[in-house]
Amino acid sequence: MKLNFTGVTDPGLVRTSNQDAYYIDPDGRFFIVADGMGGHAGGEQASRIATEEIATFLQSHWDGAESTQKLLENSLWQANKAIIQDQQQHPERADMGTTVVAVVFRSSDSPWCAHVGDSRLYRFRESQLQQITQDHTWIARAIKLGDITEDEARNHPYRHILSRCLGREDLHQVDVQPLDMKLGDRLLLCSDGLTEELNNQSIADHLRNSPILENASHSLIASAKEEGGHDNITIVMVSAEENAAV
């Protein structure tokens, strides 16, 4: 199984800066999207630290004896630690933090994904879109408990409140899980600048209409901007094909 991949980020139409970041390993071993918060400088710094620390940790420990699950989990803990250290050294950024979603492909292991916050991972298989990650937000918990509906959630004033993010001393859990992927599947990692503007049905329609990864990515960002582009928008896409030709 060979992987095709692409990534793109856009500031959107409202924000004056881009606090998102992404990293694609040149060898296609891992993929990361982060969405920072905490003001202009803080958000950019937090997402940059997260992607760089996770990438560096994965690269330096890649051939070690740790399981892929533990390797990925520890890379996120390292990023959390590094952001906290930066906060301590720069009190003006004390409230910064970031979401993150990452996918790792390692040797013969099944791929693994990890996330903290509301950046998401989707799998597109046989024209059907499935959200793999579950948001760490107040609103996601309220939906799960049946307190509000998904339609009500889209405009709820508390929809941006995170229950977990990197850059917090009280972060006690990161979600790590194996990922089922087979030939023909496409993965979509994205910040909430995409999902705030487009619902899952709209995202699925774009993926059906654009089999080429780069075309699909740019089409999704253009559509999100047409719907308002209120936040930064970042997309990383990965496909599993027999022949790796984007």
Side-chain angles (χ1 to χ4, degrees):
M1 182 172 68
K2 296 182 179 180
L3 300 178
N4 296 327
F5 41 86
T6 190
V8 62
T9 187
D10 192 285
L13 299 177
V14 175
R15 301 291 179 90
T16 58
S17 64
N18 192 341
Q19 299 180 48
D20 287 359
Y22 74 91
Y23 185 91
I24 295 177
D25 175 60
D27 295 324
R29 298 175 299 173
F30 54 86
F31 308 87
I32 311 164
V33 168
D35 179 359
M37 66 208 75
H40 172 79
E44 288 186 5
Q45 182 77 350
S47 62
R48 180 192 64 78
I49 291 173
T51 53
E52 290 182 358
E53 288 288 335
I54 292 169
T56 298
F57 189 93
L58 291 174
Q59 289 164 347
S60 61
H61 293 78
W62 193 260
D63 296 323
E66 278 185 322
S67 67
T68 302
Q69 176 181 1
K70 186 58 67 174
L71 173 69
L72 183 53
E73 182 178 352
N74 285 342
S75 73
L76 268 65
W77 288 124
Q78 174 60 32
N80 189 60
K81 178 181 177 181
I83 294 170
I84 292 171
Q85 288 175 339
D86 189 89
Q87 292 169 343
Q88 294 168 346
Q89 295 166 3
H90 302 277
E92 70 275 13
R93 297 199 289 261
D95 63 344
M96 73 175 179
T98 186
T99 69
V100 70
V101 58
V103 175
V104 167
F105 293 83
R106 192 180 183 212
S107 65
S108 59
D109 290 350
S110 298
W112 284 77
C113 66
H115 84 291
V116 174
D118 60 0
S119 291
R120 293 180 180 176
L121 172 66
Y122 291 92
R123 180 180 58 216
F124 188 67
R125 172 180 289 174
E126 297 175 352
S127 295
Q128 300 299 314
L129 186 71
Q130 179 183 1
Q131 183 177 331
I132 302 299
T133 56
Q134 298 300 313
D135 296 347
H136 298 142
T137 59
W138 179 91
I139 208 78
R141 179 172 173 79
I143 293 172
K144 187 175 181 179
L145 293 174
D147 294 337
I148 61 173
T149 67
E150 291 193 11
D151 286 340
E152 292 170 336
R154 291 198 66 80
N155 296 306
H156 198 283
Y158 293 167
R159 67 187 183 278
H160 298 300
I161 297 178
L162 297 173
S163 57
R164 295 185 217 169
C165 69
L166 295 184
R168 296 295 181 267
E169 294 276 8
D170 61 355
L171 178 64
H172 301 303
Q173 181 181 353
V174 300
D175 285 359
V176 185
Q177 59 182 308
L179 180 62
D180 174 35
M181 189 174 186
K182 62 183 184 180
L183 288 176
D185 287 353
R186 277 183 276 173
L187 300 180
L188 168 66
L189 297 79
C190 64
S191 63
D192 72 340
L194 178 70
T195 54
E196 274 290 299
E197 306 294 357
L198 304 180
N199 61 26
N200 288 2
Q201 182 60 55
S202 180
I203 293 172
D205 288 343
H206 278 275
L207 296 180
R208 291 188 192 100
N209 293 331
S210 300
I212 298 175
L213 298 187
E214 289 184 353
N215 292 351
S217 298
H218 289 288
S219 174
L220 284 166
I221 285 182
S223 184
K225 291 169 73 172
E226 288 172 4
E227 293 297 323
H230 296 92
D231 200 353
N232 310 143
I233 312 158
T234 300
I235 292 171
V236 168
M237 294 191 68
V238 185
S239 66
E241 307 292 346
E242 292 187 57
N243 296 307
V246 177

